Amino acid sequence: MTAPRLLAPLPALAALLALSSPTAARADAAHDNLRAHFERLARKAELRRARPVRPPLFALPTGDWDLLSAGIDARIHPDEGRLESVATLRLCSQATHPLSRLTFYSGLDVTAVDGAASFSYDPSSWDLTVYLLAPLAPGAELSLTFHTAGWPWCEGWCGIDSDLVYLSTTELMPIDPDALYGIYDDQFLVSCRVALPAGFVTLASGVAGPEEALPDDWTARTFVQSWPGLYFGVSAGRFVVVEEDVGGRPVRVAALPGHDVYNDVLLDIARETLRLDEAAFGPMLYDHLDVAEIAYSDTALAYGLESLVWYVEPHRAGDPTTTYGQLTLSHEIGHQWFGNMLPIGQADAPWLAEGFAEFNAMYYVERATGGPRTYSPEEAAAFRALHGDLYVYLPLFSLEDPPLSSPEIATADPSAYGIVTYHKGAQVVEALRWVVGEEPFFEALRGYITTHREDPVDTADLQDALETVHGGAGSLDWFFDAWVHGRGYPRYTVEAYTAADPPSVSLALDDPARFGRMPVLVRGEGPGATCREQRVEFGAADRADLLLDCTGRPARVRVDPDHRFPHRVVSHLEGDVDLSGEVDGFDLLEAAWSNGAMLWDYAPSWNQQADLDQDGMIAELDLETVRRAFGSRD
Amino acid sequence: MHLTRRSPRHRFPSLPAAAAAGLALFAGCYDSHPTPLDGDRPDVPDARDDAGGFPGVRFDPDVEAPAPGTLWLEEESATGSSITLRLMVDADEPAFGVAARLRWDAARLALHGIRSCGTFDRDGVALLDWKVVGSGDEVWFGLASPTREMPADVRGGACAVFADFEILGPGTSRLELAGERSAAVGSPPTRYLTRSVGGGTLEVTR
């Protein structure tokens, strides 16, 4: 659907590049940075023209036009909670017939449209219709300049207050972000200049130019969007900022006075996340990373824009040294690679951004050696298990189960969307790491990132990269068919005979056709036993019997002990929490330790195998089951 | 769509009825097996008085484990027709609980009960369950701290449970702690804090 396009200088950038300030070694450097960035984008665009065009998945909701670029000049009045913007949009017709009018959707009042014959705007419906001076031929391009003013509307992702401003660029031009969501495969460039009165610290996405002094003590900041990304914005506030050079780039944390109690902790987490991520995925694209406060809403805890993380009121969100705080920030920083450096090329594959970002959070828990706290391997495994189990318990909530990569995901119930995309997605990434192997997996990811950097990706791109290091083309078809394009998870029923001589275990798999090739580790454990991990692949069989390879007698069996993929593991023997083949004191201890844990509380004490009645919470009913079965054997 | 990490709580509908029922039951847990407390015993110092110590009880400050990180049996008291044993535990880390199995000669001994020593249930709410299995010559039991946040300090050795036996007749009887099925566990309980039993066999002679 993408047509050849010209990378004409955008209005705000042109203004910036035209500046000739004598102040300015620093400003010159920033200008050079912007210029180099645009040159890079132009080269990239040339390359993209040679690529086959992907058809859109959905009908365009925008009235048959496609956005090529936007140049925005905005002036924000924090004390009045409003803004004025002039946005020049370069558009391309996607219609097969001449267009005499174009339709838009704008939450901001549109006061004028330059380059059009006329327009109509209905502030109650936000419908904007622009009547063209002449019919627009199929594939032809057109520039229109919109003058807007008013109070932006959004669900938690924008705000203008007397001391705090945060806006994504979609709030600065007459385009509804949901409409852009429908044209994922598209790319558009944004150059944006935001002017504010004195006293504000401005932090911006992507590549930023220097501050520009304006009359009456106002200042402006110009920044350009990387490529192509929807996740681009600006934060401004009367911030308290902590800053540190991390790997040669500034990392800043900004919060309002009195809200800055966790600035140092957030900086610690950001530093540790960057250390881990750059080793795993390669260098971050941007020359800075900012974490800035936004106001509370019940929409989200944080957002991962390009080079800018929005974090909801840290002083109220609670101590970020808690696991949840660390997961939140490391998730958003993960978006610098997944979702921003690699935009999603398919509307039906948001897991390529959210699943990988959430995997990044799990990876942080597993690997952090610095930052405010570290985690044991058991804790890391417990967090992986939580992610898988949130998905495994979907039926409990009567939620649908759309495949990770499918048209259904885009229209799924928000709860199902979240659980599948974020939690199943993260565990499927972990499962790929398990199947492909640690080193090849990260090697493949680095190749995937390098190859597709700043270019929309889809599920096939990921599969290609992994198969390159794994077993060649098609070698992971079974995995993607089962986990990405399919639904469900494997269920293992375990009969353990740990008291037998030799000890043994039998596993039954409910769906070998889909999950028979999924390798699963089985391990005996016991206070006096040393056991070797045993890898089981069912193939076409629905049952696997194996002797446990132990020195000493094991007291229990663990199936997928490190929680590498979503599954349900149940004992053949009721009450046998630890899969020993006997219901004894160890089962009581496991159930007692997890007692009170609820899946939806994200509790580290959650243990799927202790939730014997499978109601999503471990409670007295589960303990009672253990007590009732106490002393029984398989 | 925006790239964000949302609270998973927001993604769930309200609690299903079964979960809500379970929540109500949860309020009454941990009390179905009340265990006698020994906190008032003069010979049981309260380890919570120790600066920085975990709540727990040292049965005897002079006790010495047969080896570090072990479970073992000792005689607590005896009469001509009965004997009370104590299961002792030593670990470097705080223990969430103990699971163990004890075997004996059913022709000479009869188990009357398993009681907590108090180490794991200073508030009287620890969870204890036990069952005699097989042909009456083996007991399986587990004893857990009341909460995950209150593990017991068992460094140097602490008493976990008392086992009260009736001695059925004259002669020597053997009691054996099953090493491969007995351990103290930490937090999470997949961590075995003890790897062996020391002094796992006790002879009782009448």
Side-chain angles (χ1 to χ4, degrees), chain A residues 18-265:
Chain A
L19 281 177
S20 175
S21 167
T23 58
R26 193 170 70 86
D28 284 348
H31 290 163
D32 288 347
N33 196 13
L34 284 170
R35 193 175 290 113
H37 186 67
F38 257 68
E39 287 169 358
R40 190 155 49 91
L41 295 181
R43 287 195 299 274
K44 196 81 180 177
E46 292 286 347
L47 291 175
R48 280 195 59 75
R49 286 171 197 160
R51 281 182 49 155
V53 173
R54 297 189 185 98
L57 286 157
F58 310 109
L60 285 177
T62 55
D64 291 338
W65 55 259
D66 183 21
L67 178 65
L68 303 182
S69 64
I72 303 169
D73 266 302
R75 195 172 183 90
I76 296 170
H77 303 270
D79 287 337
E80 301 167 41
R82 68 182 181 89
L83 64 85
E84 300 151 2
S85 75
V86 179
T88 298
L89 308 188
R90 188 158 188 83
L91 308 163
C92 175
S93 170
Q94 306 251 344
T96 55
H97 56 279
L99 297 173
S100 59
R101 62 183 184 177
L102 302 176
T103 57
F104 300 84
Y105 192 65
S106 176
L108 292 171
D109 284 343
V110 178
T111 56
V113 180
D114 300 338
S118 62
F119 74 98
S120 68
Y121 176 66
D122 180 352
S124 62
S125 67
W126 297 359
D127 289 329
L128 170 65
T129 304
V130 175
Y131 300 92
L132 304 180
L133 291 166
L136 186 63
E141 297 181 11
L142 170 72
S143 283
L144 295 170
T145 298
F146 299 81
H147 299 255
T148 64
W151 295 263
W153 178 92
C154 55
E155 290 179 348
W157 58 81
C158 71
I160 300 178
D161 207 343
S162 58
D163 54 4
L164 181 65
V165 173
Y166 52 102
L167 294 160
S168 64
T169 46
T170 48
E171 272 76 62
L172 298 171
M173 52 184 168
I175 293 181
D176 173 43
D178 286 342
L180 290 177
Y181 182 47
I183 50 175
Y184 250 115
D185 195 36
D186 197 9
Q187 302 124 48
F188 59 96
L189 308 179
V190 173
S191 170
C192 185
R193 181 168 64 177
V194 171
L196 283 147
F200 280 79
V201 175
T202 306
L203 306 169
S205 277
V207 178
E211 279 193 350
E212 175 189 353
L214 299 177
D216 300 325
D217 264 354
W218 282 57
T219 56
R221 198 86 192 267
T222 297
F223 42 99
V224 297
Q225 170 175 1
S226 179
W227 179 278
L230 305 176
Y231 316 113
F232 185 61
V234 60
S235 274
R238 303 184 191 277
F239 288 138
V240 176
V241 180
V242 295
E243 178 173 343
E244 182 176 306
D245 184 289
V246 177
R249 77 171 69 77
V251 174
R252 291 175 287 252
V253 178
L256 294 174
H259 300 183
D260 58 325
V261 289
Y262 295 120
N263 275 15
D264 290 337
V265 176

Side-chain angles (χ1 to χ4, degrees), chain B residues 64-83:
Chain B
E64 284 191 17
T70 52
L71 295 172
W72 73 99
L73 293 171
E74 290 182 353
E75 179 181 315
E76 160 70 6
S77 61
T79 68
S81 60
S82 68
I83 183 168

